[in-house]
Amino acid sequence: MNVSSARLLDGNRIAAEIRQSVTPGVAAFTSRHGRAPQLGIVLVGEDPASEIYVRNKVRAGSESGLLVDLQRLPATGTLDELLQLVRQLNASDGHDGILVQAPLPAAMGRSATQRVFDAIDPAKDVDGFHPTNVGRLVQGRAHLPPCTPSGVIEMLDRSGIAIARTHAVVIGRSDIVGKPMAMLLLQRDATVTVCHSKTPDLPSVARQADILVAAIGRAAFVTPDFVKPGATVIDVGINRVTDAAQVTSLFGAGAQRVADFQKRGSIVVGDVHPAVAEVAGALTPVPGGVGPLTIAVLLKNTLAAAEARAAEG
Ligand code: NAD
């Protein structure tokens, strides 16, 4: 049986704290301007994971008093139709934030995601993926920082984990998570190493980390030999596992997660192996770690976008 020693960083609790600070801000905006801040979410197709993410975003937004306008396009929709919808939301006075849920259907072409992010008005870009907002992030003056990496910083700050003067290692260099994560850690005075699929001897690089962020997309990839004893390990990965043997080998026969799997036929696991809990000083669970923070920061960004637009008149 695994003896877990790491302190578990409770994303649900920290996300609730952030949401509690957003809700009064939303109410104040609503009474001042006679309308609630509004988030437009665009979902193309019926990807099951995206359906769940979007449902959670709609629910959390509504609970905080935001108006959430979910616009759907069929999987057969074209890139032109999607760009047209984004332009409509850009032009709408009542929409303060725009989020286009990735991934887009492969049929839209390889450059589709970039073209869509490029088309979103930077003032409404609550995901922070427009090149203007990426540039601001790099310069340390992000107004709308990307939700997941910004959520990780909130998680560290609100858990009392120092960032300055630490060595942070980020595994993954995507535009959505790895790169902006590295920038935010750098701005907080960490010494940052970014690793990726071509990094030689990854475990020995990762083992230097005081703060290790895994954003890879491979179930249980980060094993205890990647982790310096006592390090903080942030697990961004969301991986659906459907193989019974893999679930049993990860969690051990009789574990609650195995029972969950038997009930549902699949479970979600992170990029970090459960045995890392025996080595790490602090660890984010999956589910219930970084995921809820991503949504909380989305709400925060939507309010910030609404306030900035209102201030500009
Ligand atoms: P991505 O596929 O765009 O990028 C993955 C990165 O991992 C790449 O930069 C690649 O170089 C690196 N990588 C892949 N295989 C590797 C290997 N063998 N060794 C070292 N590095 C390797 O993925 P992404 O969009 O950055 O997402 C990463 C994970 O985070 C996914 O599981 C995704 O579902 C999850 N995610 C979670 C949230 C959240 O809210 N918790 C938000 C966004 C993404």
Side-chain angles (χ1 to χ4, degrees):
M1 200 177 89
N2 288 343
V3 180
S4 108
S5 64
R7 169 184 163 207
L8 275 190
L9 304 178
D10 183 349
N12 285 317
R13 184 184 59 75
I14 297 170
E17 272 175 34
I18 297 171
R19 286 164 60 174
Q20 270 161 25
S21 68
V22 170
T23 304
V26 170
F29 180 98
T30 306
S31 69
R32 210 174 321 125
H33 299 284
R35 68 169 188 91
Q38 182 167 205
L39 171 64
I41 299 181
V42 181
L43 176 59
V44 187
E46 280 140 28
D47 175 67
S50 294
E51 292 274 357
I52 295 170
Y53 299 150
V54 165
R55 196 189 313 141
N56 290 339
K57 288 170 185 176
V58 171
R59 188 191 306 134
S62 307
E63 282 171 9
S64 296
L66 299 174
L67 276 177
V68 186
D69 172 24
L70 174 58
Q71 300 265 354
R72 286 174 168 271
L73 281 180
T76 51
T78 64
L79 178 57
D80 279 345
E81 285 168 330
L82 176 55
L83 290 170
Q84 180 56 31
L85 181 52
V86 168
R87 282 192 285 268
Q88 271 171 29
L89 294 171
N90 283 344
S92 160
D93 227 15
H95 288 81
D96 301 288
I98 303 171
L99 177 155
V100 178
Q101 183 67 43
L104 296 175
M108 283 195 173
R110 288 182 64 183
S111 62
T113 307
Q114 196 62 65
R115 286 188 60 192
V116 170
F117 291 159
D118 286 356
I120 294 173
D121 177 349
K124 299 187 179 186
D125 172 32
V126 284
D127 259 339
F129 296 153
H130 187 281
T132 298
N133 288 327
V134 175
R136 288 196 179 124
L137 176 78
V138 172
Q139 293 178 340
R141 54 191 184 109
H143 168 54
L144 299 170
C147 300
T148 299
S150 180
V152 170
I153 298 288
E154 293 272 5
M155 167 88 94
L156 294 169
D157 282 347
R158 290 169 187 259
S159 304
I161 294 169
I163 303 173
R165 298 174 194 280
T166 64
H167 185 180
V169 174
V170 179
I171 312 181
R173 57 172 161 183
S174 71
D175 291 339
I176 290 172
V177 188
K179 282 184 205 161
M181 186 74 256
M183 281 300 147
L184 290 177
L185 289 164
L186 185 62
Q187 280 151 23
R188 294 292 303 274
D189 297 326
T191 298
V192 182
T193 303
V194 184
C195 301
H196 47 79
S197 53
K198 308 277 191 306
T199 301
D201 198 5
L202 187 55
S204 77
V205 182
R207 245 185 346 258
Q208 294 170 25
D210 304 303
I211 298 173
L212 178 63
V213 181
I216 308 160
R218 289 177 182 238
F221 182 87
V222 172
T223 44
D225 58 320
F226 283 62
V227 179
K228 177 163 77 178
T232 296
V233 179
I234 304 290
D235 190 352
V236 180
I238 299 179
N239 309 290
R240 187 161 293 282
V241 176
T242 53
D243 175 7
Q246 190 183 5
V247 174
T248 310
S249 97
L250 284 178
F251 297 99
Q256 181 59 45
R257 302 294 319 268
V258 174
D260 293 345
F261 175 85
Q262 282 159 352
K263 204 155 50 174
R264 299 194 203 113
S266 71
I267 55 168
V268 168
V269 305
D271 289 344
V272 175
H273 194 285
V276 165
E278 294 162 38
V279 185
L283 175 65
T284 63
V286 176
V290 174
L293 284 164
T294 298
I295 297 182
V297 174
L298 172 67
L299 308 182
K300 194 174 149 187
N301 280 356
T302 303
L303 175 60
E307 283 172 341
R309 290 182 66 241
E312 279 183 9

